[in-house]
């Protein structure tokens, strides 16, 4: 015999796993969350719905529905069967357990907080990170990630906490962003709090100069990643302050559509010639102008010539130099 229970939709519930709320939902927009919850609801009753049905039911653009379904599949929240329109809601709890309990060459959350001498202070930092940034409910997979980051970047405990603080105050606590910042810190040889303090001072100097460049050029936008890399080179590698960089900026009004490649060519030329001060650069530029004047100086032409001698004034040579 088959026994069937019936419960009115008025009294039924659709359960959303906490793992979804903690691990997946923060990276989704509102429409994507709506689509997932509705799919969860439909799967409970084994109901059929096309992307067009979801679009009409939820009041979401059809293309947005399709894009959201693709995204949900890409992060493993749903799966599609090959050559079928069938969609399965993934068991997120099982997925998380498989992440945690794996081969011994990787750490588990329990191993990450063992009471060994090495991990006593690490345990305290992980606990502080959990309480400060996750309200005490940090997803289990973060324990293994933080443990791996300690080993990968060789950060001291206070630097790891500072990493989370920095990301929290800027773009947010996504793993991709945390890794991006951590990679940047590692490339700057940040390991302990002293390294981080020195890097922070250097970064603040770079950020200040970058802001002044944007203002002087009247860009009305932030610099692109590639433009910022030029500024970083001038400040960190060449050790030039804004007073020197401004000498190059002053050349841009005479240049149509000045680019950072143009500015870089000027500043790199100064660096290659071992020019370190404003006075040295001004003297170098003046000497170069004089040399070019001599190079382009036209000999006196006889009066019986069939053409008139061209006259070169001071402005001509000034502008000529700027185009080089």
């Amino acid at each position: 015999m088959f026994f069937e229970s019936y419960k009115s939709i008025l009294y039924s519930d659709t359960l959303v796993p906490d793992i979804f709320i903690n691990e997946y939902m923060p990276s989704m927009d509102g429409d994507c969350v709506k689509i997932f919850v509705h799919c969860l609801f439909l799967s409970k009753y084994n109901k059929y719905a096309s992307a067009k049905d979801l679009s009409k039911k939820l009041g979401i653009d059809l293309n947005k529905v399709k894009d959201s379904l693709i995204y949900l599949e890409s992060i493993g929240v749903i799966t599609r069967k090959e050559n079928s329109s069938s969609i399965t809601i993934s068991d997120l709890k099982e997925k998380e357990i498989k992440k945690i309990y794996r081969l011994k060459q990787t750490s588990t959350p329990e191993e990450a907080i063992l009471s060994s001498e090495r991990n006593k202070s690490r345990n305290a930092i992980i606990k502080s990170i959990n309480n400060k940034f996750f309200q005490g409910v940090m997803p289990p997979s973060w324990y293994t990630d933080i443990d791996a980051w300690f080993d990968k970047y060789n950060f001291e405990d206070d630097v790891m906490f500072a990493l989370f603080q920095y990301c929290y105050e800027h773009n947010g606590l996504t793993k991709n962003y945390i890794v991006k910042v951590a990679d940047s810190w590692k490339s700057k040889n940040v390991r302990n709090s002293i390294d981080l303090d020195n890097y922070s001072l250097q970064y603040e100097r770079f950020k200040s100069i970058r802001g002044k460049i944007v203002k002087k050029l009247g860009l009305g936008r932030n610099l692109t990643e590639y433009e910022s890399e030029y500024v970083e080179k001038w400040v960190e590698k060449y050790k030039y302050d804004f007073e020197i960089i401004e000498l190059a900026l002053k050349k841009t009004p005479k240049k149509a559509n000045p680019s950072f490649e143009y500015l870089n060519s000027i500043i790199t030329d100064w660096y290659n010639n071992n020019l370190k001060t404003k006075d040295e650069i001004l003297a170098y530029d003046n000497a170069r102008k004089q040399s070019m004047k001599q190079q382009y100086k036209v000999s006196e032409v006889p009066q019986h010539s069939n053409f008139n001698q061209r006259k070169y004034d001071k402005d001509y040579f000034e502008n000529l130099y700027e185009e080089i």
Side-chain angles (χ1 to χ4, degrees):
M1 292 180 294
F2 177 76
F3 296 92
E4 185 177 278
S5 64
Y6 173 78
K7 182 183 287 187
S8 168
I9 194 172
L10 183 63
Y11 304 108
S12 64
D13 301 297
T14 298
L15 299 179
V16 178
D18 287 345
I19 290 296
F20 171 78
I21 295 172
N22 261 315
E23 197 74 45
Y24 299 94
M25 191 175 72
S27 65
M28 298 181 183
D29 60 24
D31 287 341
C32 197
V33 174
K34 285 170 64 176
I35 291 168
F36 170 75
V37 172
H38 194 68
C39 288
L40 195 63
F41 166 75
L42 293 174
S43 68
K44 184 175 65 171
Y45 294 102
N46 294 317
K47 297 294 184 181
Y48 171 85
S50 65
K52 189 174 181 180
D53 293 330
L54 293 175
S55 173
K56 291 183 177 180
K57 176 67 176 179
L58 301 175
I60 301 173
D61 180 76
L62 179 59
N63 289 328
K64 173 64 176 177
V65 171
K66 292 178 179 178
D67 290 341
S68 295
L69 291 172
I70 291 172
Y71 175 73
L72 291 171
E73 184 179 8
S74 72
I75 62 175
V77 171
I78 64 173
T79 56
R80 295 172 186 255
K81 294 182 179 178
E82 285 189 36
N83 303 320
S84 171
S85 61
S86 177
I87 291 178
T88 302
I89 304 296
S90 301
D91 188 334
L92 300 181
K93 296 176 184 178
E94 183 181 8
K95 279 173 59 70
E96 204 64 26
I97 289 172
K98 287 180 178 179
K99 286 182 185 177
I100 297 170
Y101 296 101
R102 48 194 178 212
L103 296 177
K104 281 302 273 186
Q105 67 252 27
T106 59
S107 300
T108 67
E110 290 76 16
E111 291 169 337
I113 55 175
L114 285 175
S115 298
S116 65
E117 288 300 319
R118 180 178 69 89
N119 279 332
K120 282 182 180 178
S121 59
R122 186 178 294 190
N123 179 27
I125 290 298
I126 292 175
K127 184 177 180 181
S128 296
I129 289 172
N130 182 20
N131 292 333
K132 174 75 174 180
F133 306 109
F134 296 91
Q135 296 77 48
V137 287
M138 185 167 68
S141 65
W142 282 80
Y143 288 88
T144 57
D145 289 326
I146 296 173
D147 189 47
W149 293 337
F150 268 115
D151 295 333
K152 177 181 179 180
Y153 299 112
N154 199 26
F155 289 159
E156 290 190 355
D157 298 339
D158 51 353
V159 175
M160 183 61 73
F161 186 86
L163 172 67
F164 275 79
Q165 183 73 51
Y166 177 88
C167 294
Y168 180 80
E169 293 173 352
H170 290 76
N171 284 14
L173 293 177
T174 63
K175 291 180 182 179
N176 287 340
Y177 181 63
I178 291 173
V179 169
K180 181 179 179 181
V181 174
D183 285 338
S184 176
W185 287 9
K186 182 182 179 182
S187 71
K188 304 300 181 183
N189 297 316
V190 172
R191 296 293 181 269
N192 54 46
S193 57
I194 297 176
D195 297 334
L196 183 59
D197 288 342
N198 291 334
Y199 169 72
S200 297
L201 290 173
Q202 187 178 38
Y203 180 75
E204 287 301 318
R205 178 171 173 264
F206 156 73
K207 191 165 68 171
S208 173
I209 291 176
R210 183 180 62 185
K212 291 177 180 178
I213 291 172
V214 169
K215 184 176 180 181
K216 288 290 184 180
L217 293 179
L219 296 179
R221 60 171 175 81
N222 293 326
L223 298 186
T224 66
E225 180 180 350
Y226 303 107
E227 291 169 341
S228 291
E229 287 176 358
Y230 279 127
V231 179
E232 184 177 4
K233 179 172 67 172
W234 305 337
V235 174
E236 297 185 10
K237 181 180 178 181
Y238 296 173
K239 306 298 183 185
Y240 286 153
D241 57 22
F242 182 71
E243 181 185 39
I244 288 179
I245 295 173
E246 189 177 22
L247 294 176
L249 299 181
K250 289 180 178 179
K251 299 178 182 294
T252 58
K254 297 179 180 180
K255 184 77 174 177
N257 299 318
S259 66
F260 274 74
E261 288 84 357
Y262 170 69
L263 290 169
N264 185 62
S265 66
I266 295 172
I267 297 173
T268 299
D269 179 58
W270 295 341
Y271 175 77
N272 290 339
N273 283 278
N274 200 31
L275 305 176
K276 298 179 180 179
T277 68
K278 181 178 180 180
D279 290 340
E280 288 175 346
I281 291 171
L282 291 175
Y284 171 80
D285 281 358
N286 185 59
R288 187 173 179 181
K289 290 177 185 178
Q290 294 301 323
S291 175
M292 293 186 70
K293 285 181 181 179
Q294 292 298 322
Q295 182 180 350
Y296 287 97
K297 187 176 181 181
V298 180
S299 301
E300 188 172 343
V301 180
Q303 293 297 321
H304 62 272
S305 174
N306 292 329
F307 58 89
N308 293 325
Q309 180 178 340
R310 183 173 180 179
K311 296 181 180 180
Y312 298 91
D313 57 17
K314 178 182 177 182
D315 289 339
Y316 170 78
F317 289 105
E318 291 287 336
N319 293 331
L320 181 64
Y321 174 73
E322 302 301 340
E323 295 299 323
I324 299 300

